[in-house]
Amino acid sequence: VGLIALLFPFLKGIVPTLKKKEAKEIKEIDVSAMKDGDAKTVRWKGRNVLIVKRNPDFISKHSSQLKSLIDPFSSNSSQPEFAKGHGRSSRDNYLVVYSYCTLLSCELKRLQIETKQGDVFAGFFCPCDGSRYDVSGRVIAGSAAKYNLSIPNYEHVSESRIRLTGV
């Protein structure tokens, strides 16, 4: 029983969904009510996509911070061309990623840090292998995973809507 509980997050990420095809495939997401640090998970084409509204000031761009990242410029990552670079998105205030670790495909958890202004989104971690990712989904050195989080093709339809457009 303990082994099954330990393996469940791993299997959940790699085994295709056993449910019948979802009635309506999600393609457009309303992000108008999201505030900095908010996250929204949507199911799309059998996978979870995580959308995070983030403060662009928290994206690591300084050389001292970049040294702690395995692939700081996302040159070895699975992503559309527009997502290369520091922010890994078409607009720095939104991050859109598949919500699975790039090593064992486990569902990611959010990292929060406490500040005087309240909790602040600080990235992601994998509960299965301990890998950590920054606010742009870039893997942090010392993690078991070696690749940044995968990013689906998407576009901003308006200030308040994001459309998932491809694999």
Side-chain angles (χ1 to χ4, degrees):
V1 174
L3 182 60
I4 293 171
L6 182 65
L7 291 176
F8 181 73
F10 172 69
L11 295 173
K12 185 174 128 184
I14 62 170
V15 175
T17 181
L18 299 177
K19 296 179 187 175
K20 289 187 177 183
K21 190 174 178 179
E22 295 176 23
K24 186 175 180 184
E25 200 170 294
I26 299 170
K27 294 188 183 211
E28 258 186 48
I29 301 98
D30 181 7
V31 294
S32 60
M34 294 179 75
K35 299 178 187 114
D36 282 352
D38 284 353
K40 182 182 275 195
T41 302
V42 295
R43 191 89 176 147
W44 185 63
K45 293 192 174 186
R47 297 176 73 188
N48 287 342
V49 175
L50 185 64
I51 300 166
V52 179
K53 184 162 186 194
R54 59 189 177 170
N55 182 332
D57 295 338
F58 287 107
I59 298 171
S60 300
K61 296 178 185 174
H62 304 294
S63 59
S64 61
Q65 295 166 317
L66 296 179
K67 289 178 185 175
S68 69
L69 302 171
I70 292 176
D71 185 11
F73 302 105
S74 303
S75 52
N76 300 319
S77 301
S78 173
Q79 68 209 354
E81 191 64 33
F82 69 77
K84 292 192 184 248
H86 297 294
R88 301 190 72 224
S89 60
S90 61
R91 295 186 184 170
D92 280 346
N93 57 333
Y94 287 100
L95 176 68
V96 180
V97 294
Y98 288 112
S99 65
Y100 303 100
C101 173
T102 56
L103 182 65
L104 296 176
S105 297
C106 295
E107 189 79 24
L108 296 171
K109 304 291 181 191
R110 293 179 50 181
L111 285 173
Q112 299 284 118
I113 55 172
E114 291 182 33
T115 66
K116 292 177 184 176
Q117 294 80 21
D119 287 349
V120 175
F121 168 64
F124 309 95
F125 77 95
C126 175
C128 298
D129 62 40
S131 294
R132 294 178 302 131
Y133 302 86
D134 74 352
V135 297
S136 295
R138 297 176 294 184
V139 68
I140 295 172
S143 295
K146 300 301 175 207
Y147 298 101
N148 295 341
L149 297 179
S150 298
I151 296 177
N153 284 310
Y154 69 92
E155 62 189 5
H156 288 268
V157 181
S158 68
E159 288 297 316
S160 63
R161 299 192 75 73
I162 293 174
R163 180 183 296 144
L164 301 171
T165 60
V167 179

